[in-house]
Amino acid sequence: MKTKLLFICSGAIDRSPCAASLIPGSKFAGVGPLTETSVTKELIDWADKIFVMEFDHKVELIKRFNEARSKDIEILDVPNDYLRFDPELEKILKDKLKKC
């Protein structure tokens, strides 16, 4: 059975969609107030593993969704300095995800 991965950043505009594009079948969402694809309880329940881009995303996720406490959540530590398909962002994400 394939592991279901969820990537989370602030707005689900650049970092998390870029990460999800690298792994077919994964999903992405945002925890910020101005996101079109907001994280939901259903997404958290769906995911086997959750990757967040920053520590604050993990804090917000757990604060808003108690069920996230039982999930395997990894902090990728990728700052919000890149646009979605920036080759540097893709390289950083690939390197970090290889280690996971």
Side-chain angles (χ1 to χ4, degrees):
M1 185 164 101
K2 191 172 182 180
T3 303
K4 296 177 278 186
L5 306 177
L6 175 61
F7 294 95
I8 294 176
C9 67
S10 299
I13 296 169
D14 296 312
R15 294 173 291 174
S16 63
C18 184
S21 75
L22 299 174
I23 302 177
S26 62
K27 296 184 179 185
F28 67 90
V31 292
L34 302 175
T35 179
E36 289 183 20
T37 309
S38 293
V39 68
T40 63
K41 178 189 179 313
E42 291 76 21
L43 278 173
I44 293 168
D45 290 343
W46 170 85
D48 296 316
K49 183 166 179 86
I50 299 172
F51 292 95
V52 296
M53 299 297 153
E54 300 174 36
F55 176 78
D56 290 348
H57 299 144
K58 181 176 180 177
V59 170
E60 183 65 22
L61 188 65
I62 290 171
K63 185 172 99 176
R64 289 174 45 191
F65 301 96
N66 192 47
E67 44 280 308
R69 294 179 189 277
S70 65
K71 293 291 180 168
D72 182 9
I73 302 173
E74 175 125 5
I75 302 165
L76 293 175
D77 196 27
V78 177
N80 193 15
D81 296 338
Y82 307 94
L83 295 176
R84 181 182 270 186
F85 295 112
D86 183 325
E88 182 66 18
L89 175 58
E90 288 183 4
K91 181 184 181 319
I92 290 167
L93 288 167
K94 284 178 183 177
D95 289 346
K96 289 183 180 267
L97 291 171
K98 276 183 194 174
K99 296 174 186 173
C100 302

